[in-house]
Amino acid sequence: PNAPYVTSWCRTTLPQLLPKQADEFGAFCTKHLEAILGFVREHCQAGTPTCDANLLAGFFKLLEASLAPERRAASKTSDEREQAQLARLWFVFSVIWGFGGNLREESRSKFDDFLRQSGLLKELNASFPEKGSVFDYCVAPETSSFVPWTSVVPAFAYDKEAPFFDILVPTGSSTCYDFLLGMLIARGSHVMIVGETGTGKSTLVQGFLNKLVATSEVGINPVLASFSAQTSAKNMQDLLESKLDKIRKNLIGAGAGRQAVVVVDDINMPALEVYGAQPPIELVRQTLAQGGFYDLKKLFLKRVQNTAFIAACGPPGGGRNTITPRLVRHFNLLWVPQMSEAAMQGIFGSILSGFLGAHSFPTDVANLASTTVAATIQLYSCMCAEMLPTPSKSHYTFNLR
């Protein structure tokens, strides 16, 4: 049922991205994409429900971003064989995050096993180390190979003047999501970050936005919104009209050479109206689907240009509602897994070591940072495993927050 969509993309877009390898990659798409989709549907659990076209579109957007001229130029190689091999690695990378980015933790291990045994990696001459999963590796253009995300994590420097909740310690996971967000947002694609409470979704997005504003070559206009059960469609429209640049009477967004990035936190929180819709979400959907929204007084269409959306939310439940597929289809979906103990050790160990060093604690005290953090993490893990919620203690739901 998805063959017409895949065939159309391979005939129209693929030759523009890879003129010399269009036939080769078209054959890969025709042979493997349907099997990958079938496996995801039959054996995996998604963080957010999607349709097949949604996953295919996410894969295509990632591949287009990966093979963009500016990214190919950054590889610093003019050898055609190396360029061809690098394109194959980006194809595998796009498969991993296009079809597997929305999978929950337990399903990612199944997807890892399937991909290693599917024959796709052998056909593309791409190999992963045995250690870890395919989600733990990124493409290194310099060597045309896969390397661990942990090998490209930027260094952390403790700032004793920074408030505790503003301290961001980079990890392999945060570096991965930073890269994916940057690659997609630069192409004008929209991204939805989904994960359980306490996985650091808001912190991840805020850190990415701060870095984007500081380093982007184009002017960035960040717009922050946080939905609640009381948020109305008019609240969202007023925010967009006031924060986006007014270019003409019927055109808002960002001007030439600039980009607006709208971050919507807790996007699935608005209350349902009488017919089951969420008006603020429908306004966002209309903006993405029709390119704008209507002026409430004079009823003309206000178009929105050069604007990308990043949404963050938790799974349905506890006041959060299921998001309409009509909105979800516009986004690339990324599930944020629970933080591993190694990542927690790295984050809190770096903060505590930095704090003790910045405030000149004695050496014998500073040396206790690692063991103190390890003991705290062990206690936290025991609480999560043993102090489970019951009808009389329903508040026993622990997370890093």
Side-chain angles (χ1 to χ4, degrees), residues 146-162:
F146 286 106
V147 298
W149 284 110
T150 51
S151 68
V152 295
V153 174
F156 169 72
Y158 181 80
D159 180 7
K160 66 179 181 179
E161 303 297 330

mmCIF file of all heavy atoms in Angstrom, residues 146-162:
data_model
loop_
_atom_site.group_PDB
_atom_site.id
_atom_site.type_symbol
_atom_site.label_atom_id
_atom_site.label_comp_id
_atom_site.label_asym_id
_atom_site.label_seq_id
_atom_site.Cartn_x
_atom_site.Cartn_y
_atom_site.Cartn_z
ATOM 1 N N PHE A 146 30.883 4.499 11.334
ATOM 2 C CA PHE A 146 30.057 4.796 12.496
ATOM 3 C C PHE A 146 30.938 4.856 13.745
ATOM 4 O O PHE A 146 31.771 3.973 13.965
ATOM 5 C CB PHE A 146 28.977 3.725 12.681
ATOM 6 C CG PHE A 146 27.854 3.818 11.690
ATOM 7 C CD1 PHE A 146 27.740 2.903 10.656
ATOM 8 C CD2 PHE A 146 26.909 4.838 11.783
ATOM 9 C CE1 PHE A 146 26.708 2.983 9.741
ATOM 10 C CE2 PHE A 146 25.876 4.925 10.870
ATOM 11 C CZ PHE A 146 25.772 3.998 9.841
ATOM 12 N N VAL A 147 30.750 5.894 14.551
ATOM 13 C CA VAL A 147 31.488 6.046 15.802
ATOM 14 C C VAL A 147 30.471 6.293 16.921
ATOM 15 O O VAL A 147 29.361 6.771 16.668
ATOM 16 C CB VAL A 147 32.498 7.210 15.735
ATOM 17 C CG1 VAL A 147 33.544 6.950 14.667
ATOM 18 C CG2 VAL A 147 31.792 8.538 15.488
ATOM 19 N N PRO A 148 30.822 5.985 18.175
ATOM 20 C CA PRO A 148 29.874 6.191 19.273
ATOM 21 C C PRO A 148 29.552 7.671 19.486
ATOM 22 O O PRO A 148 30.420 8.533 19.305
ATOM 23 C CB PRO A 148 30.601 5.608 20.499
ATOM 24 C CG PRO A 148 31.686 4.743 19.941
ATOM 25 C CD PRO A 148 32.063 5.356 18.630
ATOM 26 N N TRP A 149 28.305 7.937 19.859
ATOM 27 C CA TRP A 149 27.936 9.314 20.196
ATOM 28 C C TRP A 149 28.799 9.835 21.338
ATOM 29 O O TRP A 149 29.105 11.043 21.398
ATOM 30 C CB TRP A 149 26.459 9.377 20.605
ATOM 31 C CG TRP A 149 25.489 9.300 19.465
ATOM 32 C CD1 TRP A 149 24.659 8.262 19.160
ATOM 33 C CD2 TRP A 149 25.229 10.312 18.479
ATOM 34 N NE1 TRP A 149 23.913 8.553 18.039
ATOM 35 C CE2 TRP A 149 24.236 9.805 17.610
ATOM 36 C CE3 TRP A 149 25.738 11.582 18.244
ATOM 37 C CZ2 TRP A 149 23.748 10.529 16.529
ATOM 38 C CZ3 TRP A 149 25.247 12.320 17.168
ATOM 39 C CH2 TRP A 149 24.274 11.788 16.322
ATOM 40 N N THR A 150 29.185 8.942 22.257
ATOM 41 C CA THR A 150 29.984 9.379 23.401
ATOM 42 C C THR A 150 31.349 9.928 22.992
ATOM 43 O O THR A 150 31.972 10.662 23.753
ATOM 44 C CB THR A 150 30.183 8.209 24.390
ATOM 45 O OG1 THR A 150 30.673 7.058 23.675
ATOM 46 C CG2 THR A 150 28.867 7.831 25.055
ATOM 47 N N SER A 151 31.810 9.579 21.786
ATOM 48 C CA SER A 151 33.122 10.066 21.340
ATOM 49 C C SER A 151 33.060 11.490 20.794
ATOM 50 O O SER A 151 34.104 12.097 20.550
ATOM 51 C CB SER A 151 33.686 9.125 20.272
ATOM 52 O OG SER A 151 32.921 9.192 19.074
ATOM 53 N N VAL A 152 31.866 12.011 20.581
ATOM 54 C CA VAL A 152 31.729 13.376 20.043
ATOM 55 C C VAL A 152 31.026 14.298 21.028
ATOM 56 O O VAL A 152 30.563 15.372 20.663
ATOM 57 C CB VAL A 152 30.972 13.363 18.694
ATOM 58 C CG1 VAL A 152 31.761 12.630 17.641
ATOM 59 C CG2 VAL A 152 29.582 12.754 18.834
ATOM 60 N N VAL A 153 30.951 13.880 22.301
ATOM 61 C CA VAL A 153 30.318 14.718 23.328
ATOM 62 C C VAL A 153 31.221 15.910 23.627
ATOM 63 O O VAL A 153 32.417 15.731 23.887
ATOM 64 C CB VAL A 153 30.068 13.902 24.615
ATOM 65 C CG1 VAL A 153 29.557 14.801 25.729
ATOM 66 C CG2 VAL A 153 29.097 12.783 24.345
ATOM 67 N N PRO A 154 30.692 17.137 23.597
ATOM 68 C CA PRO A 154 31.533 18.298 23.928
ATOM 69 C C PRO A 154 31.938 18.298 25.394
ATOM 70 O O PRO A 154 31.263 17.707 26.249
ATOM 71 C CB PRO A 154 30.618 19.497 23.608
ATOM 72 C CG PRO A 154 29.231 18.950 23.600
ATOM 73 C CD PRO A 154 29.334 17.518 23.204
ATOM 74 N N ALA A 155 33.052 18.951 25.691
ATOM 75 C CA ALA A 155 33.562 19.001 27.064
ATOM 76 C C ALA A 155 32.638 19.850 27.944
ATOM 77 O O ALA A 155 32.005 20.800 27.473
ATOM 78 C CB ALA A 155 34.976 19.574 27.072
ATOM 79 N N PHE A 156 32.576 19.498 29.226
ATOM 80 C CA PHE A 156 31.743 20.230 30.178
ATOM 81 C C PHE A 156 32.625 21.066 31.094
ATOM 82 O O PHE A 156 33.625 20.579 31.628
ATOM 83 C CB PHE A 156 30.910 19.254 31.013
ATOM 84 C CG PHE A 156 30.215 19.893 32.188
ATOM 85 C CD1 PHE A 156 29.131 20.731 31.988
ATOM 86 C CD2 PHE A 156 30.662 19.668 33.484
ATOM 87 C CE1 PHE A 156 28.489 21.329 33.065
ATOM 88 C CE2 PHE A 156 30.023 20.255 34.566
ATOM 89 C CZ PHE A 156 28.935 21.087 34.350
ATOM 90 N N ALA A 157 32.260 22.333 31.266
ATOM 91 C CA ALA A 157 32.975 23.225 32.185
ATOM 92 C C ALA A 157 31.983 23.745 33.221
ATOM 93 O O ALA A 157 30.967 24.354 32.860
ATOM 94 C CB ALA A 157 33.614 24.380 31.417
ATOM 95 N N TYR A 158 32.256 23.500 34.478
ATOM 96 C CA TYR A 158 31.336 23.904 35.550
ATOM 97 C C TYR A 158 31.411 25.411 35.769
ATOM 98 O O TYR A 158 32.500 25.986 35.873
ATOM 99 C CB TYR A 158 31.689 23.171 36.846
ATOM 100 C CG TYR A 158 30.778 23.522 38.001
ATOM 101 C CD1 TYR A 158 29.524 22.935 38.119
ATOM 102 C CD2 TYR A 158 31.171 24.448 38.959
ATOM 103 C CE1 TYR A 158 28.688 23.257 39.171
ATOM 104 C CE2 TYR A 158 30.341 24.774 40.022
ATOM 105 C CZ TYR A 158 29.091 24.184 40.109
ATOM 106 O OH TYR A 158 28.257 24.504 41.148
ATOM 107 N N ASP A 159 30.255 26.057 35.838
ATOM 108 C CA ASP A 159 30.161 27.498 36.097
ATOM 109 C C ASP A 159 29.486 27.679 37.451
ATOM 110 O O ASP A 159 28.290 27.423 37.608
ATOM 111 C CB ASP A 159 29.345 28.176 34.997
ATOM 112 C CG ASP A 159 29.206 29.677 35.220
ATOM 113 O OD1 ASP A 159 29.846 30.206 36.157
ATOM 114 O OD2 ASP A 159 28.453 30.328 34.455
ATOM 115 N N LYS A 160 30.243 28.127 38.442
ATOM 116 C CA LYS A 160 29.693 28.225 39.797
ATOM 117 C C LYS A 160 28.668 29.344 39.933
ATOM 118 O O LYS A 160 27.936 29.385 40.932
ATOM 119 C CB LYS A 160 30.815 28.404 40.805
ATOM 120 C CG LYS A 160 31.588 29.706 40.699
ATOM 121 C CD LYS A 160 32.659 29.763 41.788
ATOM 122 C CE LYS A 160 33.446 31.078 41.729
ATOM 123 N NZ LYS A 160 34.472 31.131 42.804
ATOM 124 N N GLU A 161 28.612 30.237 38.948
ATOM 125 C CA GLU A 161 27.625 31.318 38.999
ATOM 126 C C GLU A 161 26.275 30.896 38.423
ATOM 127 O O GLU A 161 25.268 31.561 38.643
ATOM 128 C CB GLU A 161 28.144 32.542 38.224
ATOM 129 C CG GLU A 161 29.478 33.079 38.716
ATOM 130 C CD GLU A 161 29.399 33.583 40.153
ATOM 131 O OE1 GLU A 161 28.310 34.040 40.565
ATOM 132 O OE2 GLU A 161 30.421 33.491 40.864
ATOM 133 N N ALA A 162 26.248 29.812 37.689
ATOM 134 C CA ALA A 162 25.007 29.382 37.029
ATOM 135 C C ALA A 162 24.067 28.726 38.041
ATOM 136 O O ALA A 162 24.517 27.938 38.882
ATOM 137 C CB ALA A 162 25.323 28.401 35.907
#
